[in-house]
Amino acid sequence: MTVPVIPIEHVLALAAALFVMGLVGVLVRRNVIFLLMSLEIMMNACGLAFIAAGAKWGQPDGQIMFMLILALAAAEVAVALGLVLQLERRFDSLDIDTAGELSG
Amino acid sequence: MALALFYIAAAVALASTALVITRRNAAHALIYLVVSLLSIAVIFFLLGAPFAAALEIVIYAGAIVVLFLFVVMMLNLGRRSAERERLWLQPGMWVGPSILVGVLFLMMLYVIVAGAPGTTEGTMVGPKEVGTALFGKYLLAVELAAMLLLAALIGAYHLGRRYLGDRREESSRENRP
């Protein structure tokens, strides 16, 4: 079955824009929940780039990489949210800068 | 026409992602994150990757975002939570997500009514090819992903268990007259 061709440059530009948005979110926000959401946005943008490449060459490898990214994102979010709960319990705040004790 | 669908979905994705990182309220940001993920799933469909699009909706929007929501709600136990929930669910905040999702819904209606978008070149990679490759040459990666998920499961249980235990003690102490 054939599907319409979308210029891969545009898809990659969209992926780059989404990635930069996630990066800006990580750099600007100090709330841990928003940091994690920005990380999800960045991983999703990577997945979009992989899917675009896989669609360009008509190979399933891009989708497999996307699935591995999905597994990574699920694992990361499970552990990170556990850390968020601990952060809230110890420091009574969701600000990532309150947990800067090791930074000296 | 499919190109127009792609650009509309891309615009929705960019707009909702920009709204995610600028919201002050975590619950509002999560709703916009769901919209962003749905529009990226539309783009996956248009790129000929229907299995990845389904996974995007089921796992990202369905599981990961719900996990976020659980934690956001859990962090607001206590007296303030009722007041906060009232502030979160003001009618005005549904307008933005509804407009963006409405655009995606109109796109879906168009595709259903007009039939499949015009076919030119390009190939669709269906679930069968993906599954064959996944459990063929990528079998080792699947095993590694399974081990990663097991480690994450144990880690999340370990980190969350003490938190829940403390909360339970606190609440039982509070309930005692």
Side-chain angles (χ1 to χ4, degrees):
Chain A
M1 183 184 162
T2 57
V3 292
V5 167
I6 295 165
I8 189 169
E9 296 86 4
H10 297 188
V11 188
L12 290 179
L14 174 67
L18 289 174
F19 188 89
V20 169
M21 275 189 191
L23 187 61
V24 168
V26 169
L27 293 176
V28 170
R29 302 304 298 254
R30 289 282 66 113
N31 186 320
V32 190
I33 300 272
F34 281 91
L35 284 185
L36 293 175
M37 273 191 246
S38 304
L39 282 179
E40 293 301 316
I41 292 170
M42 287 163 75
M43 276 196 252
N44 213 19
C46 296
L48 179 60
F50 271 115
I51 297 271
K56 165 81 177 165
W57 304 109
Q59 296 293 320
D61 305 60
Q63 292 188 46
I64 286 165
M65 281 310 292
F66 173 73
M67 273 190 239
L68 296 178
I69 290 176
L70 213 60
L72 176 73
E76 177 253 356
V77 118
V79 173
L81 288 175
L83 287 171
V84 169
L85 294 181
Q86 290 292 329
L87 188 75
E88 204 266 348
R89 187 173 72 94
R90 301 227 169 148
F91 301 101
D92 214 10
S93 155
L94 285 180
D95 192 333
I96 192 88
D97 287 339
T98 56
E101 282 178 350
L102 278 182
S103 66
Chain B
M1 197 56 221
L3 269 182
L5 292 180
F6 167 73
Y7 290 123
I8 295 169
V12 172
L14 287 174
S16 54
T17 307
L19 287 165
V20 169
I21 60 171
T22 52
R23 285 312 87 182
R24 200 166 294 162
N25 190 317
H28 296 180
L30 280 170
I31 290 169
Y32 280 111
L33 185 60
V34 171
V35 178
S36 166
L37 295 171
L38 288 179
S39 53
I40 290 174
V42 170
I43 292 171
F44 285 175
F45 266 115
L46 292 174
L47 284 170
F51 190 51
L55 282 180
E56 171 96 2
I57 292 176
V58 171
I59 296 181
Y60 254 118
I64 293 180
V65 173
V66 170
L67 204 59
F68 268 108
L69 265 180
F70 265 137
V71 170
V72 170
M73 298 295 170
M74 240 167 111
L75 293 177
N76 292 293
L77 292 174
R79 284 169 269 106
R80 293 167 301 165
S81 68
E83 176 65 16
R84 278 207 187 174
E85 208 152 288
R86 193 185 61 76
L87 286 175
W88 282 356
L89 297 178
Q90 280 164 350
M93 62 111 348
W94 293 106
V95 173
S98 304
I99 290 172
L100 291 173
V101 170
V103 171
L104 293 179
F105 180 68
L106 286 179
M107 284 167 61
M108 191 185 79
L109 276 187
Y110 168 78
V111 171
I112 289 174
V113 170
T119 54
T120 49
E121 331 160 25
T123 49
M124 190 176 94
V125 182
K128 191 180 169 192
E129 290 97 325
V130 177
T132 309
L134 190 62
F135 290 101
K137 57 179 172 173
Y138 285 105
L139 190 59
L140 190 61
V142 175
E143 299 280 354
L144 287 174
M147 285 170 69
L148 176 71
L149 286 172
L150 178 64
L153 175 70
I154 295 169
Y157 178 69
H158 177 70
L159 286 170
R161 194 175 48 124
R162 276 183 292 172
Y163 175 86
L164 288 177
D166 288 1
R167 269 284 160 89
R168 218 168 290 137
E169 280 169 25
E170 276 170 26
S171 63
S172 64
R173 221 178 299 138
E174 280 167 13
N175 289 342
R176 217 168 291 145

